[in-house]
Structures are given as C-alpha cells and as structure tokens.
Amino acid sequence: MIVAEAVGRALAACGAGTVFGVVGSGNFHVTNALVAAGARFVAARHEGGAATMADAYARMSGRPGIVTVHQGPGLTNALTGITEAAKSRTPMVVLAGEATEAQSNFHIDQAALATAVGAVPMRVTSADEAVAQAVRAYRVAAGERRTVLLNLPLDVQSAPYTGAVEVPAASQASSAVAEAGELAAALEAAERPVFIAGRGARHARRELEALAERTGALLATSAVARGLFRGSPWDLDVSGGFATPLAAELIRGADLVVGWGCALNMWTTRHGSLVSPGTRVAKVDLEPAALKTHVPADVGVVGDVAQVAAALAGVVPAKAGYRTPELAGRIQAEGRWRAVPYEDDGDGGRIDPRTLTIGLDDLLPAERIVSIDSGNFMGYPSMFMDVPDENGFCFTQAFQSVGLGLATAVGAALARPDRLPVAALGDGGFLMGVAELETVVRLGLPMVIVVYDDEAYGAEAHHFGPHDHPLGTVTFPPADLAAIARGHGLAAVTVTRREDLADVSTWLSGPRDRPLLIHAKVTRDRGSWWLEEAFKGH
C-alpha cells in the first residue's frame, strides 16, 4: 500500500461516503482508494462543478463534502466553489495533489491559495503521519464546520505505507449551554419579539418553535434556512431583501430581534433597515465573533441553538407577545410573495418571471429540492416557488458567484434522491456551467432546469442602464438554449407565455426518463425588487 491509498481508506473510515471530483495523475490513487473502500465517486466535468456539488451535498445531507482534484490547475479550477464553501462554513475536505518541486509546471503555493479564500490549509507530510493527518483534516471539517484543503505532495503520496489504517474514536463535544440569563430577561421584557433563524439553526426547528410559542415570537429565516418553519401559522418566510412587504413591516415593528445561528448580515437585514431604532438585538451562535459582526448584538450567547432555546423555554414565562388572531389572519393572507398583487408584464413574446414561477409552483410536485444560481432573476424562484422544509432549498450565495447553480442542483439531488431536483438559473449562469449538463444526463437525474433568459447579465443591465451607460458589454443576442439542452440528451421546452407550460405538464406525467430544460424567455424591462434593495449597498 502507498500513502495515497492509506489516506483514501482513512477518509472512507471516517465517513466519506460520496466523493466529487475530476481525476488526474495527482489524485488518481487516493480517489480509487476511496472507491475501493466503499465511497461513491461522482465525476464532474469541471473542478469548479465538483467543488460546488460537494458543497451542496454537504448542506443537504448533513455529512462533510469531499472533493478530489489534480495538483495546480485542478485546484485553481475549483477555487470559486471552494471559496463559496469556505465563506458558508461548509464542512468539506478538498483532496489535492501537490507538486512541491519549484520547477514543476504544476507548482503553486496551494496552502496560500486556501488561506486567501478562507479555507484551512493542511498537508500530509510523511508516511508515518499520513493516516492521522487525514483523520484530523476530516474532523476539523466536520467538527469546526470548516472547508479544509488537504494537500497531498506527490512524493509523499507514492511512498510505501506499512502501518494499519485505524481511525480512533472521536471525542465527544461538550453539551454545556452557555449562560443565557440576560437573553431570558430580554425575552421576558419583549412585547413584539421576532426570531430569525440562519444556517446554524437548521437542526433546531422543534426547540425554536417551542420557545417562540412560549414568548409569542414571530418566526423568520435567512435565505439559506428558507423553509425551516414551513407550516407554522407564524412563519414570515425569509427576512431581508427577499422579504414580503408584510414580513418587512412586522420585523421592523419588533422590539426584540433574535438571530439564531444567523449573522444578521446586510442581506438578512436590508442593510440594517429592518432593525428599527430602539430595537434590541440578540444573537445565539457557536462562533463568538458572530455576536459582534454586521448588526452587533446587545445580548449575545455562545452556544448551540437547539440547546440554548430548550434551556430558555424552561425558564421564561409564557406570554402572547407578537401573536394575535388578527395577525395570524394577515400572515395567512399576505405571507407569501405569490399573494402580493402585481401587474403582469408579459407581452406574448416574453413571460413575466412572476407568472412563470407561480405556474411552475402550481405544476411541480411539492416534494422538491430547489437550487438557485445568482443573478437578477434569483428572487423569483427563491420566493415564488415554495419548498416543503429547510431541506428543500439550496442557496449557494455567500460569494455571490454566477455559474454555480447547475452544479449546486446536482449535489443537492444526490443528497436527497427522494425529491424532484429543480435548478433555477439565469442565461449567463447556465452557459457558464453548461459542462455539467452531461453530468446530469449521465447520472440519470430527473431534474427540471429552469433558465430565466433575459439575454443579459441582468443585474448589471439594471444597475447601469437607468444612468444611460452603454450596455453592449452585458447584453447578448438570442441563443437557442433548448437546442443546447437537446444536444446533451435532455428534453427541452421554450416558454414565452403561461400556456407553454402545458409542455411541462406533459413531461411531469410521463416517465421522466430524461431531465427537462425549460428555456423561459422572461421580460426584462425592470429589475427585480430584491435588486433594488441590493443596489442600496453599492
């Protein structure tokens, strides 16, 4: 056995079950060792796609993502996906061959690259330490919720390994709850509390709902935790730029906002405007630094969200808080974007993205997992297409990179094969990630890919267009995206009006033996509502 094989076996023993990557000479042996030890290998067509698939898989499965890439260009190709994962604190291990000889064409400072994008650089340094170092990398990723780059120097990989591949039992983390007396007092004093749950609270629905019931709090989420409180009569859906008019009104009316595993960043608070003057802010987070970032907390508790919420529910007195029968009626009537009246902008040749998305929401099965790319269009599928719970929405937007959406949908689909995967992309993002269409077909995923085509980088067009800047650099001639999809083996339909969605119904009622691409030519005269909010930060 060589070191590369020992590393692969050790990671499989730690729990690496699904591995994404593009294989070259520098990661060939470690990848095959993972497969031999029982891991499933998913070949992507580009390393950037592989990293994003692993990120989405980790988010939706609850297991660390594993990526394997060639040294040098294999790693640099993956860097945008790695950056997104690192910024999102996704538990992920990136296995990369490493050329340590300075004269090698493949030589770069890979550790410095990892540090630059917020990942944790680690390295296998010797045959004797290889297994221990691989296990440590996996446990840092899983236990600290970090994206780890494990560099595998080529000379060390090929060295003989004669030891056993034994993985010691992991130590158990302490379950102690930090002191939360000040937060208990704040909850007792609040008349209009609102809870905003983030990614760090996705495991804590039961505990948060019980505490909210006791304190009379309304419930909202950041975008990445969308669906967490689905079904509750007090669910305001997403806070921030995506918020409905009613949600924005009620969050602004709060006298206490509690961020649960949620940094309360500029997107979640509309650049702070949803936190009214005089409103107290509390945060509960595992990371002490999160308590003072973005909107600083008046009251901060370091601890696990579920544990802190459960402890508080046992000590705070019961009260009605923000909850009244009249407000429950308003939330039921006005609490979703599709309930907000709008004037349809469709003109026969292009469909209003709201009309398109509402139509798809009505047609597609409720048990779905929706993955979103970045761009002007993204608020429509994010907010007009419902999801069943927090495991139905995958939102890789910490780095705000266009082009990750299709790979995100692949990773999410493999994590939740029980749900219909839906990818929502703009035309720019679709063409950036088009190589992974072949992956979708090869894997046999019954995916629905919706492309909101405005023939532009819409965010830039709507940002600069009103100021009479030339837009030739961000607009494009028409492209037959349906033909591109058919060329890859997908079924495809073009939609310019609501009636065209009948073809989607036909696909849904059939065998779904091929993925479906919906090429939607959407109206483009105005920017989306969330984009107007985003521009306030530029």
Side-chain angles (χ1 to χ4, degrees):
M1 185 189 322
I2 60 173
V3 165
E5 293 167 332
V7 168
R9 292 188 187 185
L11 291 171
C14 286
T18 300
V19 179
F20 300 85
V22 177
V23 173
S25 60
N27 62 326
F28 182 85
H29 294 298
V30 70
T31 305
N32 280 344
L34 279 158
V35 173
R40 178 187 184 183
F41 177 66
V42 178
R45 285 301 190 173
H46 190 277
E47 290 91 349
T52 301
M53 291 173 196
D55 180 5
Y57 180 86
R59 294 175 193 238
M60 296 293 104
S61 70
R63 302 177 66 178
I66 310 293
V67 190
T68 171
V69 298
H70 186 64
Q71 63 269 20
L75 179 61
T76 57
N77 278 348
L79 207 57
T80 298
I82 293 170
T83 305
E84 169 63 36
K87 285 181 174 290
S88 297
R89 295 297 293 265
T90 297
M92 190 164 91
V93 178
V94 182
L95 301 170
E98 184 181 31
T100 54
E101 295 295 329
Q103 65 269 27
S104 169
N105 289 345
F106 295 128
H107 175 70
I108 54 174
D109 190 340
Q110 296 189 174
L113 280 180
T115 300
V117 302
V120 178
M122 300 178 74
R123 176 177 286 113
V124 172
T125 57
S126 70
D128 290 343
E129 298 296 322
V131 168
Q133 289 167 336
V135 171
R136 180 169 178 265
Y138 187 91
R139 289 181 176 166
V140 168
E144 300 179 21
R145 297 186 300 115
R146 299 298 299 272
T147 295
V148 175
L149 169 63
L150 182 60
N151 285 308
L152 305 174
L154 300 182
D155 56 341
V156 177
Q157 281 196 59
S158 61
Y161 180 83
T162 57
V165 181
E166 295 180 353
V167 177
S171 59
Q172 298 297 312
S174 170
S175 60
V177 176
E179 173 59 45
E182 192 176 357
L183 180 52
L187 288 166
E188 184 175 353
E191 297 296 329
R192 299 178 306 281
V194 170
F195 291 176
I196 302 177
R199 187 175 176 188
R202 292 176 76 246
H203 65 296
R205 172 173 180 160
R206 179 175 58 84
E207 292 83 0
L208 288 176
E209 284 191 328
L211 181 61
E213 175 71 23
R214 191 155 184 84
T215 58
L218 305 182
L219 298 164
T221 71
S222 65
V224 294
R226 185 175 188 231
L228 180 62
F229 301 118
R230 189 62 77 246
S232 168
W234 307 105
D235 177 20
L236 301 181
D237 212 354
V238 174
S239 173
F242 286 173
T244 64
L246 177 63
E249 171 194 330
L250 295 174
I251 295 168
R252 285 193 180 105
D255 59 359
L256 174 67
V257 171
V258 186
W260 298 91
C262 178
L264 298 179
N265 63 25
M266 65 179 182
W267 306 112
T268 307
T269 65
R270 288 192 182 180
H271 305 282
S273 69
L274 293 186
V275 180
S276 296
T279 298
R280 297 195 77 194
V281 173
K283 291 184 182 180
V284 178
D285 205 286
L286 287 171
E287 297 295 328
L291 305 181
K292 293 301 180 183
T293 56
H294 305 296
V295 179
D298 301 303
V299 179
V301 178
V302 176
D304 174 77
V305 165
Q307 294 175 14
V308 173
L312 287 167
V315 298
V316 297
K319 60 193 301 184
Y322 219 154
R323 301 183 176 192
T324 66
E326 293 77 16
L327 189 53
R330 285 195 69 194
I331 293 172
Q332 182 178 17
E334 306 171 42
R336 296 289 180 271
W337 265 108
R338 61 175 296 164
V340 178
Y342 68 93
E343 182 177 343
D344 192 306
D345 289 336
D347 58 8
R350 292 189 173 273
I351 187 169
D352 189 303
R354 295 162 291 189
T355 301
L356 166 72
T357 314
I358 290 170
L360 290 171
D361 187 43
D362 290 338
L363 285 173
L364 299 176
E367 286 296 310
R368 62 185 72 149
I369 184 162
V370 180
S371 300
I372 310 292
D373 207 337
S374 192
N376 171 61
F377 77 95
M378 72 182 188
Y380 301 115
S382 293
M383 298 308 299
F384 286 81
M385 192 177 295
D386 209 358
V387 294
D389 54 34
E390 73 280 9
N391 294 312
F393 190 66
C394 197
F395 193 70
T396 47
Q397 297 293 332
F399 196 35
Q400 290 185 267
S401 174
V402 174
L404 306 186
L406 185 56
T408 295
V410 173
L414 293 173
R416 292 301 305 261
D418 56 318
R419 293 185 168 179
L420 178 74
V422 180
L425 322 173
D427 52 306
F430 167 74
L431 290 168
M432 284 185 187
V434 73
E436 303 307 343
L437 278 184
E438 189 276 336
T439 306
V440 174
V441 174
R442 172 167 35 88
L443 295 177
L445 299 175
M447 186 180 293
V448 175
I449 302 167
V450 188
V451 183
Y452 293 71
D453 182 11
D454 61 0
E455 296 168 8
Y457 292 126
E460 285 66 32
H462 293 296
H463 190 179
F464 296 106
H467 304 289
D468 295 323
H469 293 292
L471 298 177
T473 55
V474 294
T475 56
F476 300 89
D480 191 343
L481 306 185
I484 292 172
R486 293 188 190 103
H488 283 79
L490 288 82
V493 300
T494 299
V495 174
T496 60
R497 54 198 183 110
R498 182 161 188 154
E499 290 76 9
D500 295 334
L501 293 175
D503 292 331
V504 178
S505 296
T506 301
W507 182 87
L508 287 167
S509 62
R512 304 186 197 175
D513 55 349
R514 292 188 294 164
L516 173 69
L517 181 127
I518 301 169
H519 177 198
K521 297 189 175 185
V522 296
T523 54
R524 52 190 180 179
D525 292 337
R526 67 180 71 181
S528 60
W529 87 95
W530 77 268
L531 197 64
E532 294 174 359
E533 293 292 337
F535 287 164
K536 295 176 182 177
H538 283 261

